[in-house]
Amino acid sequence: MRGRTYITVIELTAPPHDLDGLDGYVQVQVLTRLHGTPIGMVTVPIRNGHVAAASLMTEVLDHLRRPIIRHLLQDLLASPAAAQAPRADDLVQVAHPTGTETLPSMTVAVCTRDRPDDLARCLEALERSDYPGLDVLVVDNASRTDQTAQIVRDRFPQVRYVREPRPGLDWARNRAILEARGEILAYTDDDVMVDAGWARAIGAAFARNPEVAGVTGLVVPYELETDAQVLFEENGGFGRGFSRRWWRTGEPGVPRWTRYGTGAYGTGANMAFRRSVFAHIGPFDPALDVGTVTNGGGDLDILFRLVQAGLTVMYEPEALVFHRHRRDYETLRRQIDNNGIGLVSFLVREALAFPHERREILQLAKWWVKHYAFPRTAIALMRPGGIPRDLVLGEVLGGIVGLGRYHAARRNAARIEQEHGPQIAGAFQPATSDAALITTERAAPLLHLVPDPTRPGPDVPHVPDAVALPDAPTPATESSIAVRLVEIASGIQPITDVAGYGWTRVEVLRHGRPLGFFQIANGYQPISTERLIDEITDHLGATLLESAYSRRRDELEQEAVAAVRRRFLPAGRPRDADIPGPPPSVDVSVVVATRNRPDDLLRCLESLTRLESPRTIEIIIVDNDPASGLTPPVVARFPGVRLVSELRGGLSYARNAGVLASRGAIIAATDDDVIVPPNWVENLVRPFARPDVMAVTGHVLPLELETASQQAFEAYGGLGRGYDVREFTSGWFAWFKRQAVPTWELGATANSAFRASVFADPRIGLFDEGLGAGTPAGVAEDTYLYYKILKAGYTLAYEPSAWVSHRHRRDDGALRHQLDAYSAGHVGYHLTTLFGDGDLRGLLHIVIGLPRGYIWRVRERAARRSTYPMSLLLTEVRGHLRGPWAMWQSRKRVRRLGHSSPTGTTTLPGLAAVSPSATPAPDVRPAGAVPRTDASPG
């Protein structure tokens, strides 16, 4: 759900510890590392401000067991232990290999403008870097004050500072090219905190992969304190996963345009290059990225030009940084808008610079429209509750705006260059035609570094050209595949003699015995040891373990999983599942709405007064027909039970009256024809120990099955929802693309509970009084409430241990009336989501889903796979057909009778009153919700 999320990092080999003091957070996001390597992110629920170490580790091991085993197998292949076939228990004891490669010299450039506080955090993190002789350079990009210079001078004297007067991020990046002293030039942003091993991971990636020209890394959130920051992550964030990957053009069978989607490679907040490559591909384009009207695209462009020139880009997740996302929604919205502008500006730029690549660039643009922009727009318009529509539409509209932005940005960059003079010769050539922008493919002239008399320090030393542009491949034949043997017992070595082949088949052996094979699209490049280890692990996996020849692979994987759990799961530590629900100080109100069913109400109250709980339980009975006089005598037999009267007929009106009269922080709800066990309340409220849970439903068992009608109702589906604990989140809500969200499967309000605060949330509010028993629409007020809760980003939990027994309708007429109301209300629910929430999935369900369901049920009955009576099915069809008319009548009725309000008032005052015999409520406030009590259907 959206809400404050606590970010923490754990190392699996370190002793786990409990997390306490998390009040105010809804969940913990755990970045998990093994031997320092990031292997995944796991979200763990918080209960009562606490996460037990055992629960945290259980969640981590359940979700990341395969990445953990993969990492351990990679360590195995990189160590002498690969000569033997270890058992699963031995695998977790394999030592993590330490790097012995010689690291290249490195300059880290931080480009900044008027963000001194962010810059200080960034430089503090860089100070902790584990890298010999790291050269840190701050490029102050036309800041309006001298605060940046003061911070560097006063707090970070070891950091080099240079001011770049030309405004624009890519001008600052190009200045870093001029100022850099290292073989590797790494870039990060001022709102980033680098991991202590970030620079070493980048340097090692270049050292181990000599063919690699550029490296990007993993970006995870530094904090998720605001809804805007959570939304940015939901929208994709900067993360690109936890698996190492390589990209280059020229791989046989891979269209060039698929390699030009450089947004998948990484982000400018975490990228590094061999400094020599800029002499081949040119500098950053100052008409792109922050500080220009394009507002982005500079990182996409430089990565594009690398792969377009035939060079290799590597994504290394061990190069980890933490990014501080935008905290407020308006800034986030502008950022998302600019993503669209920057992307299309980047595509326009490449089409102008590389006219012979325009077909591929157009293919990439078509893919973006067809597979990204159009589906996201359609989903945003069709179903609410996911990424806000204004963010989705803003990014798409930004793409349209971006079609004209690059030309304006070029003119502005030319003006800046005329004003300040050239920065790098050939960096930006004002041209008479758009096509004459920059270098030609694979033939860029070497850059000339233009001395700047205002720049302190010596001229930049010459950096050897470590990466040469690859020549056109000369394969033996166009379809040739190299075959190479890799003996893991003697240590895996790089394959360097496959430059004439686009693909290589690798046969893996241990002591001469074949284990398996796979093919690598090496694209006429050598294959590094690192890549071989990754591929062997991915393709052979558990085959590397002992006895793989005589046992099934899934058995070996299960043994490895068990060994991992024994190694990393703390024994004898309590889990959060063992922690009780909310503390006893959290009071509960139980609301029962009733209408002229004194016998049922008497049985219900007898069970409610036997509830066992350490907390205060308030029982409220809402009389929905006070004029009959049938309910007060029953309530009077139970001292302490409050009686509330609601004159307006209808279950939702009655429930809302109970909600508004309740004092409890949690409101449990049941019906007057329900019997509850003594532990019902405690089992029902236990999931509320998690702050993200706003609603809980429980299992509903039949009290009796004495008649054919009661049995038919169970065959229809009853009110129970199974015996497994489940939870339903905003992710579940968004999962349904072209299908209505089946909130009717989440449970019944005959057995439910809600946080009091949920009804004060303007996105949710009270029960919809146009739905429910006693209205023409019939039912579905509970279904729609669940819908709104999930749409708002909250969680609904189903807890089967909180069971109740329901007395179904005994006679055929009552059952038919009930099913007719259910069917009409079901249509009413979908019409409500359609017109009230703009959810087009409801319309699809009415016109397609329901007819298809009826046809299937008729076939099941004809094939005698179902005993459900056809007469009842016809009753359902009739109810569905009258649903639109019934919904219209219900809305007219609400306009006449008025709406209840979370403030406790109604549009027609005086219709809800507390009985004089009831204990007055000194602090009546919005509270929880009431179940589907049945005045008619239920």
Side-chain angles (χ1 to χ4, degrees), residues 10 51 64 158 197 236 266 289 316 324 386 390 403 424 512 610 638 669 739 774 854 918:
I10 66 169
V51 177
L64 300 180
Q158 75 282 9
D289 231 300
E316 174 52 83
R324 191 168 182 261
D390 61 326
L403 289 170
I424 298 178
R610 291 194 292 268
F638 300 90
Q739 176 186 350
Y854 288 133

Side-chain angles (χ1 to χ4, degrees), residues 262-536:
T262 54
Y265 297 6
T267 176
N270 187 3
M271 61 183 181
F273 307 92
R274 298 189 193 272
R275 183 167 167 252
S276 57
V277 303
F278 295 107
H280 293 298
I281 65 171
F284 288 87
D285 186 344
L288 292 173
D289 231 300
V290 178
T292 75
V293 293
T294 63
N295 280 304
D299 49 357
L300 301 178
D301 166 56
I302 205 70
L303 294 171
F304 172 93
R305 284 189 275 142
L306 279 179
V307 295
Q308 191 275 339
L311 300 173
T312 301
V313 175
M314 176 183 176
Y315 175 73
E316 174 52 83
E318 290 194 35
L320 166 68
V321 304
F322 298 85
H323 182 264
R324 191 168 182 261
H325 301 337
R326 306 293 187 267
R327 293 179 63 90
D328 65 277
Y329 187 83
E330 183 58 30
T331 306
L332 170 66
R333 190 186 60 77
R334 289 197 301 270
Q335 181 183 16
I336 299 300
D337 292 354
N338 289 337
N339 285 349
I341 295 172
L343 172 66
V344 174
S345 297
F346 148 71
L347 294 175
V348 170
R349 187 251 182 236
E350 309 312 339
L352 296 174
F354 304 100
H356 51 284
E357 297 278 19
R358 286 179 182 173
R359 180 177 178 181
E360 284 72 21
I361 295 168
L362 181 60
Q363 282 284 97
L364 179 60
K366 288 169 60 178
W367 182 94
W368 184 79
V369 171
K370 181 178 179 180
H371 296 284
Y372 182 83
F374 178 77
R376 281 169 57 87
T377 303
I379 290 171
L381 295 175
M382 187 173 183
R383 57 181 175 91
I387 303 299
R389 290 171 176 170
D390 61 326
L391 293 186
V392 175
L393 295 176
E395 184 174 15
V396 174
L397 293 176
I400 297 174
V401 171
L403 289 170
R405 286 290 179 89
Y406 182 68
H407 301 280
R410 282 187 56 198
R411 292 192 294 270
N412 189 55
R415 180 187 59 78
I416 291 173
E417 185 145 19
Q418 289 175 352
E419 178 181 346
H420 293 276
Q423 185 186 46
I424 298 178
F428 185 86
Q429 301 284 347
T432 56
S433 69
D434 289 335
L437 170 65
I438 202 166
T439 63
T440 57
E441 181 190 18
R442 303 168 66 87
L446 294 179
L447 299 176
H448 299 288
L449 305 183
V450 179
D452 184 348
T454 66
R455 185 175 75 244
D459 288 340
V460 180
H462 174 69
V463 178
D465 187 6
V467 175
L469 287 175
D471 296 326
T474 55
T477 66
E478 193 65 29
S479 59
S480 297
I481 299 175
V483 178
R484 297 293 182 269
L485 305 181
V486 172
E487 173 57 70
I488 64 176
S490 57
I492 299 175
Q493 301 299 320
I495 301 175
T496 58
D497 59 346
V498 289
Y501 298 90
W503 287 84
T504 299
R505 174 177 169 132
V506 178
E507 292 280 355
V508 181
L509 302 89
R510 180 191 278 129
H511 297 299
R513 185 168 187 175
L515 298 180
F517 79 94
F518 54 86
Q519 291 189 172
I520 295 181
N522 60 292
Y524 311 100
Q525 289 287 306
I527 305 173
S528 68
T529 299
E530 207 163 38
R531 187 170 185 186
L532 281 171
I533 289 175
D534 286 356
E535 297 284 352
I536 293 171

Side-chain angles (χ1 to χ4, degrees), residues 596-849:
N596 301 335
R597 297 203 294 201
D599 294 338
D600 284 336
L601 179 62
L602 177 62
R603 287 188 290 267
C604 178
L605 280 173
E606 286 174 343
S607 68
L608 287 173
T609 54
R610 291 194 292 268
L611 287 171
E612 299 173 355
S613 175
R615 62 190 80 249
T616 299
I617 298 179
E618 171 190 51
I619 300 175
I620 298 176
I621 305 299
V622 183
D623 185 357
N624 202 210
D625 187 13
S628 72
L630 295 176
T631 298
V634 176
V635 176
R637 297 173 60 177
F638 300 90
V641 174
R642 296 176 59 201
L643 178 64
V644 173
S645 296
E646 172 55 67
L647 304 181
R648 295 170 293 180
L651 182 55
S652 291
Y653 279 122
R655 284 176 172 163
N656 287 339
V659 165
L660 298 174
S662 298
R663 301 188 185 105
I666 295 173
I667 299 184
T670 190
D671 289 349
D672 57 7
D673 52 1
V674 160
I675 306 297
V676 304
N679 62 354
W680 171 63
V681 161
E682 281 307 296
N683 288 335
L684 190 63
V685 304
R686 185 181 299 114
F688 287 110
R690 288 173 47 182
D692 59 312
V693 172
M694 288 291 165
V696 179
T697 60
H699 198 19
V700 181
L701 307 175
L703 179 64
E704 60 183 25
L705 294 175
E706 299 289 336
T707 70
S709 296
Q710 291 176 324
Q711 296 166 17
F713 183 70
E714 277 297 299
Y716 167 80
L719 298 176
R721 293 299 179 264
Y723 299 86
D724 296 325
V725 174
R726 292 180 291 165
E727 66 176 46
F728 304 91
T729 65
S730 57
W732 179 84
F733 181 90
W735 183 83
F736 299 92
K737 300 296 188 293
R738 291 176 292 275
Q739 176 186 350
V741 184
T743 53
W744 54 91
E745 297 178 358
L746 307 189
T749 41
N751 185 8
S752 62
F754 304 84
R755 285 190 196 275
S757 59
V758 81
F759 294 96
D761 190 322
R763 299 168 297 177
I764 300 171
L766 298 169
F767 284 95
D768 188 327
E769 290 159 338
L771 299 169
T775 70
V779 293
E781 78 295 340
D782 50 357
T783 299
Y784 186 48
L785 184 64
Y786 301 155
Y787 175 95
K788 291 188 290 182
I789 289 172
L790 296 175
K791 175 188 170 187
Y794 297 122
T795 298
L796 182 147
Y798 176 75
E799 179 52 67
S801 67
W803 59 272
V804 302
S805 298
H806 180 264
R807 188 171 181 266
H808 301 340
R809 304 293 184 268
R810 294 179 61 88
D811 63 273
D812 185 67
L815 175 62
R816 290 180 182 277
H817 180 72
Q818 182 181 21
L819 297 185
D820 178 77
Y822 278 9
S823 299
H826 189 66
V827 172
Y829 159 73
H830 291 297
L831 292 175
T832 301
T833 63
L834 173 63
F835 294 110
D837 301 88
D839 194 334
L840 295 176
R841 294 173 295 181
L843 179 62
L844 293 177
H845 188 74
I846 292 173
V847 301
I848 298 175

